Amino acid sequence: MKEYKFLKIPAFLIAVTCLFVLVSNVFNPKRPRITAFYEEPKNSLDVILLGSSYMANGINPNVLWEHNKITSYNLGVGSQPIWISYFFLKEALKYQTPKVVVLEAYYLHDLKNYKKYDNYALEATNRRSLDQLNFSLNKIQAIQASVPTEEFWDYFFTINKYHDRWKNLLQKDFQINNELSVYKGFSKVNRTFVDTRIEKYGVKIENKPKALHPKSVDYFKKIVALCREHNIQLVLLKTPMSQFVYSQDHADTMMAIKELANENDVDVLDFNSFYRNIGFDFKKHMSDQGGHLNGEGTKIVSKILGDSLEMNYFQNKRTKIGVTEIWNDTFSKYKKLENAKWAVARIKKSKTLPEYLNYAKSLDLLVLISVLDDGSGQYRNYHKTFSEIGLTSELNKKFRWSYLAIKNNKTGYVKEIVDSVAINHTFHMGKLDISMLSIGGNKAGNRSSIKINGKEYSKNKRGHNFVIVNLKDETVFDAFNVDTHGDNKLIIKR
Amino acid sequence: MLFNSIAYLIYFPVVVAVYFITPAKYRYIWLLISSYYFYMSWSPKYAVLMLFSTLVTYLSGVLIQRSNLKENLKNKEFEKKLWVALSFTINLGILFFFKYFNFINESFTSVFNYFGMNWWIPNFDVLLPVGISFYTFQALSYTMDVYREDIKAEHNFAKYALFVSFFPQLVAGPIEKSTHLLPQLSKHYKFNYERMKEGLILIGWGLFKKIVIADRLAAFVNTVYNNPNQFEGFTLVVATVFFSFQIYCDFSSYSDIAIGSAKVMGFDLMENFKRPYFSKSIAEFWRRWHISLGGWFRDYLYFPLGGNRVKKIIWYRNIMIVFLLSGLWHGASWNFVIWGALHGVFQVLSFEFATFNKGITKFLKIRKNSFSYKLYNVVITFVLVDFAWIFFRANNFADTKYILTHLFKFNPWVFFDGSLYNIGLDEYDFKLAIISILFLLFIDLVQRKYKLSDWIKEQHIFVRWGTYGFVIFFMIIFGYYGSGYDATEFIYFQF
């Protein structure tokens, strides 16, 4: 019995440790963009993309797949120093056997910041990267290399930093496993940066090489050695960067980087030296003055990188059959998501109802309609617009009748109620309690109401009152009115 | 090293493991090394000071014992008193120099300035050695106990040095009497699973009070008390009530961790807090609050002064002396002196009006053992204690004055308009603070009749493990700690 008693201590400690790991994981803010890397099928990637935000939003693995059938994952993280890139690569090589590693070169430049913080990056920068790594010896080494000794435990036990998040934990925090990533680490920015300072839309010419930070050089050499050990070709990438962010210092440091690359048999792809020849335009293809690319810019740069990789390292390449299917499937999901994003961008800009409903067709939306006073548009032919989306009640023949409609774009479900008296309709859907009311002007009334979880969203104006719910997250996406009694242009009024 | 630090989480198990592996007769050496390591992790140079105090009191013991052997009664008494006087003078001299010199000096400067004269002695730029008030008092109790022949002098210097520096209670008590702790250092304790469990439960409860309650309340209290001019009325009241629980949790947690740590190794340290906020009078409060310090003053000051077996006026004088010095012991500032004086005055008044009180209760036919009468006394005592805490916590006189003049502004809307949620704690943290205070009171209340650790012991393994796990993870998640936040040092370290 006594021996049994002493077994209880280790058993209890093991139970507490397991629970501790689980709880730490829940509280650690998730960045599935990076952690989903662990879900990639083993040894399925041809290329690993590493670096800072310029990599993260610069290279789109789906473009590489679409044009070159190259499988890749983008592990770029904002402001990531080279030493963390090294440990990211080590981590990646536990699961993958890539032929090529592409390292974005900007953070080999960062001299001032590392000097300022005594050879370390800022805490936020470190956390973005280090907290995403699974627990392992590699993670411990990464922490040791990246933070001062006295801060080690703070990164080792992430709960120390994040336990205060109990106030705002979300459902997603409790999801332990990631789904297979569709974007493969790529982070797209959809806006175009415009500035009046025209002279800034150019690049600096390299003058004389400028010394690099010794810690960066050290870890760059470690990356080179690691790649050699695994028979991997290392490619240094410099995305196009104008003078908004790229100073003469940067250009001169780039010269030193190129020399370093040359000494170590590393290939360099510097877009600043040929961006004009590939149709890249700083005025059209940047998302901010920090030098990040926008969607269009990314497409151009990714395509050139893909072609270059294919030509130099992947001629006559064949992807494994299982992997091809997975990537084709992911690519179609990617396309669907991109189309949906495109439609969302357009739908919000739509001015008239026909335009709006046309874009809405391709999105997973729930359309709720309630008419106030009259929606018949008696003397005008509106019903075509509605019948095109499956609403077939001939309301145009029912002057001043009440009318409610529900249309689920995802399932195709349609329900319409038309009556000469007031109509009430209540239903539940997921987490939503929806109650609708329409009172046409035929009988005394004139009211429209669409309440979701007790909150009123109807504009309560003459004609059709719309409330649009996004079925993905069950939130109200839009609410507007169209005067289907008097407005023959069917203008949307929010 | 702090008890609520990762360093202690590693240090303590290592010390315990080596302690039980080491042959019993050498264990005190291991504990001595560990204790000095523990102390030197704050500042190595102050260990020399502690060693010096140890040496002085050690010698005083040996010399007093030697004088005891003398046959000439007159000489004997004279010598003994001489050694005691020397030991007290040297130790209190050190304490005075490090803790009170600047305070007295500044007070003189103010007085001289007031009369338009110059005071020429500059302040010393020294840092108060951690725990100096605690170990000095403990060492002096040894000199006194040997003098009174309550205990024989300890000739093994290392063992005696361990008595002064025993790490669990070194920096914040309980202040042990030599008659209680010193003999334990020579005993051989075998590892005992049940005892270890009890010790760990106590450590866990202590950490809970410190991390979840005290440090959370501190965020609110510090915001208000560091800028009292921005607040008034009920906000000041809430801050003061919060402080009373902060200091209770802070200090009692330290004692619990100390007692628990010692218990794991087999040692028994005295209870230091016994549900003080359920006291029905100020006198009772002092029998329940910082019991070891109260005991020290009682045995080595109050009784020698004559205690209460003297004329009433002398008795009151004795009370006032004890409480003024107790206030001064807590800190070298007039705030603490006033705080001590208030407690003294409360007691004198309660004794003075005892007969009157008795008459009133008799006249109104109040049953003294009724719940409401007891509750009334508990509330009144808490209000008085809480009022005195204002002097204890306020940073300076100007703040104290401001708080006293703005405390009674009637602004009950602060409870409803959310303004309490912007003072160091957000709404979640504020509500959690309230819940944890209620939980603390509930546990204290339950502990009157049942010992919680006994209750846990009797439960099914799932309930036991569930309870331990719950407490551990409650602390991890809801504890007020983490980077960007300096774990506030245990308040009592500087006293």
Side-chain angles (χ1 to χ4, degrees):
Chain A
M1 202 54 195
K2 253 192 171 176
E3 290 77 16
Y4 162 72
K5 244 182 187 176
F6 287 101
L7 275 181
K8 285 198 296 189
I9 302 174
F12 181 73
L13 290 178
I14 290 168
V16 167
T17 310
C18 292
L19 207 56
F20 181 79
V21 172
L22 208 68
V23 169
S24 299
N25 201 0
V26 167
F27 279 81
N28 197 357
K30 308 285 183 302
R31 293 171 71 84
R33 189 173 73 73
I34 298 302
T35 50
F37 172 79
Y38 290 109
E39 309 302 325
E40 289 296 312
K42 271 205 160 187
N43 304 328
S44 65
L45 299 175
D46 302 322
V47 176
I48 299 288
L49 305 162
L50 291 171
S52 65
S53 57
Y54 297 114
M55 174 57 92
N57 96 324
I59 305 299
N60 183 350
N62 276 298
V63 172
L64 301 193
W65 174 253
E66 184 180 13
H67 295 289
N68 313 95
K69 294 292 172 252
I70 290 172
T71 58
S72 62
Y73 201 99
N74 191 330
L75 284 172
V77 178
S79 320
Q80 188 176 79
I82 293 300
W83 45 92
I84 299 189
S85 299
Y86 166 71
F87 291 103
F88 261 50
L89 178 58
K90 266 181 91 179
E91 188 74 5
L93 294 183
K94 286 186 201 168
Y95 307 92
Q96 301 293 340
T97 46
K99 204 174 165 192
V100 176
V101 165
V102 183
L103 175 67
E104 191 275 325
Y106 185 80
Y107 272 80
L108 274 162
H109 289 279
D110 201 340
L111 295 175
K112 282 178 199 152
N113 268 337
Y114 300 147
K115 269 186 192 155
K116 193 167 151 194
Y117 301 108
D118 205 13
N119 293 338
Y120 299 106
L122 286 172
E123 187 191 359
T125 305
N126 291 331
R127 294 244 171 236
R128 272 200 293 264
S129 292
L130 296 174
D131 290 350
Q132 312 310 317
L133 292 175
N134 278 354
F135 185 75
S136 66
L137 181 66
N138 184 44
K139 177 169 181 169
I140 293 174
Q141 289 169 338
I143 297 172
Q144 281 174 331
S146 310
V147 306
T149 318
E150 61 270 20
E151 290 174 26
F152 176 84
W153 293 108
D154 222 21
Y155 286 82
F156 186 82
F157 294 123
T158 51
I159 194 89
N160 202 29
K161 182 79 189 172
Y162 299 122
H163 69 99
D164 215 28
R165 291 186 65 237
W166 61 269
K167 296 163 193 170
N168 31 33
L169 282 182
L170 300 169
Q171 192 186 354
K172 68 176 181 187
D173 290 310
F174 292 87
Q175 286 163 359
I176 303 298
N177 289 324
N178 290 299
E179 288 171 9
L180 194 63
S181 168
V182 171
Y183 281 85
K184 307 292 178 195
F186 169 62
S187 164
K188 189 174 168 184
V189 186
N190 264 329
R191 60 170 178 263
T192 304
F193 170 71
V194 185
D195 195 290
T196 50
R197 289 166 294 171
I198 197 78
E199 75 284 357
K200 290 260 186 184
Y201 290 106
V203 294
K204 283 282 182 190
I205 307 300
E206 291 161 15
N207 192 0
K208 57 176 180 197
K210 192 171 176 201
L212 301 168
H213 190 276
K215 192 172 175 184
S216 297
V217 174
D218 193 22
Y219 275 90
F220 176 74
K221 285 183 178 165
K222 284 186 178 184
I223 292 176
V224 171
L226 190 62
C227 287
R228 272 199 197 130
E229 191 188 319
H230 287 82
N231 210 11
I232 295 167
Q233 176 60 50
L234 180 62
V235 177
L236 263 185
L237 169 79
K238 181 75 226 74
T239 55
M241 217 171 255
S242 78
Q243 292 174 43
F244 279 109
V245 65
Y246 203 67
S247 64
Q248 187 60 51
D249 256 13
H250 283 107
D252 292 344
T253 325
M254 191 63 209
M255 220 175 151
I257 291 169
K258 282 176 181 168
E259 283 177 6
L260 186 67
N262 203 20
E263 286 163 21
N264 292 282
D265 293 332
V266 173
D267 293 346
V268 179
L269 195 63
D270 178 7
F271 277 81
N272 269 2
S273 59
F274 59 83
Y275 71 98
R276 283 195 186 90
N277 310 336
I278 56 170
F280 187 91
D281 184 345
F282 283 117
K283 274 174 267 168
K284 290 182 188 160
H285 297 139
M286 283 206 304
S287 68
D288 58 20
Q289 66 170 341
H292 298 99
L293 306 182
N294 66 13
E296 284 304 304
T298 295
K299 243 186 228 171
I300 296 169
V301 171
S302 301
K303 173 108 183 15
I304 296 295
L305 174 70
D307 290 347
S308 164
L309 290 176
E310 187 183 349
M311 193 171 74
N312 292 309
Y313 320 109
F314 292 103
Q315 280 186 9
N316 307 320
K317 166 190 176 292
R318 278 189 183 173
T319 311
K320 286 186 212 162
I321 292 171
V323 175
T324 306
E325 282 164 357
I326 294 170
W327 272 78
N328 280 339
D329 181 46
T330 306
F331 184 72
S332 68
K333 281 182 188 157
Y334 162 77
K335 271 287 173 203
K336 204 178 160 199
L337 281 172
E338 281 296 293
N339 288 340
K341 277 185 187 169
W342 180 82
V344 167
R346 296 288 173 292
I347 202 171
K348 289 274 186 182
K349 288 178 187 163
S350 301
K351 293 210 166 66
T352 63
L353 188 64
E355 203 185 342
Y356 193 100
L357 294 178
N358 187 33
Y359 290 127
K361 272 192 290 193
S362 59
L363 298 173
D364 291 342
L365 299 173
L366 178 72
V367 181
L368 304 168
I369 306 171
S370 150
V371 163
L372 181 145
D373 193 1
D374 176 47
S376 69
Q378 230 184 345
Y379 311 108
R380 299 171 187 93
N381 195 13
Y382 293 156
H383 65 280
K384 190 169 166 275
T385 303
F386 291 106
S387 62
E388 267 177 9
I389 62 157
L391 301 176
T392 50
S393 295
E394 294 182 318
L395 197 62
N396 54 330
K397 292 173 186 164
K398 288 166 180 165
F399 180 63
R400 291 200 145 170
W401 277 40
S402 308
Y403 174 77
L404 291 178
I406 301 154
K407 176 160 193 284
N408 187 327
N409 282 359
K410 198 175 175 185
T411 60
Y413 170 84
V414 176
K415 184 181 178 83
E416 291 177 278
I417 312 169
V418 194
D419 209 326
S420 59
V421 292
I423 319 168
N424 257 317
H425 182 65
T426 305
F427 65 103
H428 307 281
M429 214 178 123
K431 287 184 288 184
L432 308 176
D433 281 335
I434 302 174
S435 78
M436 303 171 69
L437 165 74
S438 168
I439 308 177
N442 192 20
K443 299 275 155 78
N446 283 4
R447 251 192 79 201
S448 151
S449 164
I450 302 173
K451 281 186 184 172
I452 298 177
N453 293 339
K455 192 176 173 190
E456 182 63 77
Y457 288 97
S458 169
K459 293 289 169 191
N460 198 26
K461 286 183 181 158
R462 188 175 72 182
H464 281 57
N465 292 286
F466 284 81
V467 173
I468 316 289
V469 176
N470 187 347
L471 289 168
K472 263 192 187 161
D473 52 8
E474 298 189 338
T475 55
V476 173
F477 174 79
D478 209 351
F480 55 88
N481 162 271
V482 178
D483 181 5
T484 39
H485 172 79
D487 175 10
N488 60 356
K489 284 183 184 147
L490 294 178
I491 302 288
I492 287 172
K493 293 172 207 151
R494 287 197 171 82
Chain B
M1 103 189 45
L2 291 167
F3 277 168
N4 59 334
S5 66
I6 289 178
Y8 191 73
L9 211 66
I10 297 165
Y11 165 88
F12 182 61
V14 171
V15 170
V16 171
V18 177
Y19 171 78
F20 282 114
I21 293 167
T22 310
K25 59 176 176 177
Y26 300 120
R27 282 181 185 166
Y28 71 93
I29 297 175
W30 168 245
L31 283 184
L32 181 65
I33 296 167
S34 312
S35 296
Y36 267 80
Y37 175 83
F38 179 83
Y39 192 66
M40 285 159 82
S41 67
W42 266 285
S43 174
K45 59 185 175 198
Y46 289 131
V48 179
L49 210 60
M50 183 166 69
L51 194 64
F52 182 68
S53 281
T54 308
L55 192 67
V56 169
T57 44
Y58 169 79
L59 286 176
S60 77
V62 173
L63 291 170
I64 291 166
Q65 182 119 323
R66 216 176 56 181
S67 305
N68 267 338
L69 299 173
K70 294 208 166 165
E71 286 182 3
N72 183 334
L73 209 64
K74 210 176 168 188
N75 269 355
K76 176 176 155 180
E77 273 311 303
F78 173 76
E79 272 191 23
K80 276 174 77 178
K81 279 187 178 154
L82 178 71
W83 302 135
V84 170
L86 267 176
S87 174
F88 268 68
T89 312
I90 294 172
N91 278 294
L92 292 178
I94 295 171
L95 185 61
F96 172 84
F97 174 77
F98 280 95
K99 193 164 173 176
Y100 301 105
F101 182 84
N102 288 348
F103 163 62
I104 304 278
N105 200 32
E106 279 164 17
S107 300
F108 270 111
T109 312
S110 312
V111 172
F112 272 66
N113 282 347
Y114 184 78
F115 291 109
M117 291 184 279
N118 279 331
W119 180 256
W120 63 97
I121 301 176
N123 272 355
F124 282 103
D125 186 19
V126 288
L127 205 72
L128 188 63
V130 178
I132 188 169
S133 312
F134 286 90
Y135 73 72
T136 303
F137 268 42
Q138 182 153 317
L140 287 176
S141 87
Y142 167 78
T143 300
M144 220 36 202
D145 289 344
V146 177
Y147 168 79
R148 289 172 177 177
E149 296 183 41
D150 289 339
I151 191 168
K152 281 189 177 168
E154 175 61 64
H155 284 85
N156 183 333
F157 180 71
K159 209 169 266 180
Y160 176 71
L162 174 60
F163 163 71
V164 179
S165 65
F166 187 47
F167 75 85
Q169 40 90 249
L170 169 59
V171 290
I175 303 167
E176 284 292 334
K177 291 185 71 175
S178 64
T179 45
H180 185 231
L181 181 59
L182 203 46
Q184 292 190 54
L185 300 177
S186 301
K187 281 187 190 163
H188 299 157
Y189 298 101
K190 280 187 181 167
F191 179 80
N192 180 318
Y193 180 79
E194 291 303 321
R195 195 185 58 213
M196 179 201 72
K197 214 160 70 177
E198 268 181 42
L200 290 179
I201 290 173
L202 211 51
I203 293 175
W205 176 232
L207 284 174
F208 181 89
K209 283 193 282 188
K210 168 71 180 159
I211 300 171
V212 178
I213 310 179
D215 287 349
R216 178 166 274 108
L217 294 175
F220 187 95
V221 173
N222 293 345
T223 311
V224 173
Y225 268 86
N226 291 342
N227 280 301
N229 298 348
Q230 294 173 13
F231 307 99
E232 54 186 11
F234 281 109
T235 308
L236 294 172
V237 173
V238 170
T240 308
V241 172
F242 272 15
F243 178 68
S244 64
F245 285 100
Q246 182 204 337
I247 192 166
Y248 169 48
C249 287
D250 205 301
F251 198 5
S252 70
S253 74
Y254 195 94
S255 288
D256 284 347
I257 298 169
I259 296 166
S261 299
K263 195 173 222 145
V264 170
M265 294 183 286
F267 301 98
D268 171 47
L269 298 184
M270 70 178 293
E271 194 176 18
N272 215 12
F273 290 88
K274 214 171 166 184
R275 301 177 292 284
Y277 291 142
F278 288 102
S279 305
K280 292 184 279 295
S281 68
I282 295 291
E284 189 188 351
F285 175 78
W286 279 101
R287 288 195 296 274
R288 294 172 171 278
W289 176 274
H290 204 175
I291 300 167
S292 63
L293 181 73
W296 198 98
F297 275 113
R298 186 191 60 223
D299 291 348
Y300 304 116
L301 184 65
Y302 183 65
F303 285 165
L305 285 171
N308 60 355
R309 293 176 181 177
V310 283
K311 268 196 248 169
K312 207 178 190 183
I313 189 78
I314 305 288
W315 176 34
Y316 289 166
R317 181 207 67 179
N318 294 347
I319 290 175
M320 288 311 292
I321 289 175
V322 166
F323 278 97
L324 282 171
L325 288 177
S326 167
L328 210 52
W329 180 90
H330 280 84
S333 144
W334 287 107
N335 276 13
F336 294 109
V337 177
I338 295 173
W339 170 77
L342 266 179
H343 274 274
V345 168
F346 289 157
Q347 291 217 43
V348 167
L349 287 179
S350 75
F351 291 133
E352 194 56 34
F353 287 102
T355 332
F356 175 75
N357 247 337
K358 225 173 175 180
I360 291 269
T361 39
K362 206 171 173 188
F363 177 72
L364 293 173
K365 289 180 184 159
I366 297 168
R367 276 195 303 122
K368 274 191 163 182
N369 56 354
S370 69
F371 172 75
S372 55
Y373 183 73
K374 285 180 190 167
L375 182 68
Y376 165 78
N377 280 329
V378 167
V379 171
I380 292 293
T381 308
F382 181 76
V383 170
L384 292 176
V385 170
D386 213 17
F387 179 74
W389 284 135
I390 294 175
F391 295 86
F392 193 97
R393 177 60 185 86
N395 292 339
N396 51 51
F397 262 137
D399 283 358
T400 312
K401 196 178 151 197
Y402 174 87
I403 292 167
L404 292 178
T405 48
H406 291 77
L407 192 62
F408 300 101
K409 188 174 173 195
F410 190 67
N411 58 347
W413 52 87
V414 296
F415 293 110
F416 308 104
D417 66 2
S419 54
L420 288 177
Y421 303 145
N422 296 319
I423 310 171
L425 297 177
D426 62 19
E427 186 175 355
Y428 288 100
D429 275 318
F430 188 89
K431 285 179 177 167
L432 191 61
I434 301 282
I435 292 168
S436 36
I437 288 175
L438 294 176
F439 179 69
L440 170 81
L441 292 175
F442 170 74
I443 294 291
D444 269 2
L445 212 57
V446 171
Q447 297 253 53
R448 269 175 71 207
K449 287 191 179 163
Y450 311 97
K451 211 175 151 197
L452 268 183
S453 55
D454 288 346
W455 177 83
I456 294 171
K457 258 195 264 174
E458 288 161 12
Q459 303 307 311
H460 187 271
I461 186 162
F462 287 141
V463 178
R464 269 186 286 137
W465 283 27
T467 313
Y468 303 150
F470 180 77
V471 172
I472 292 171
F473 283 97
F474 196 91
M475 276 194 283
I476 290 173
I477 295 168
F478 298 107
Y480 207 80
Y481 68 95
S483 57
Y485 159 73
D486 281 338
T488 46
E489 291 208 329
F490 282 92
I491 293 177
Y492 264 72
F493 277 7
Q494 297 297 324
F495 299 135

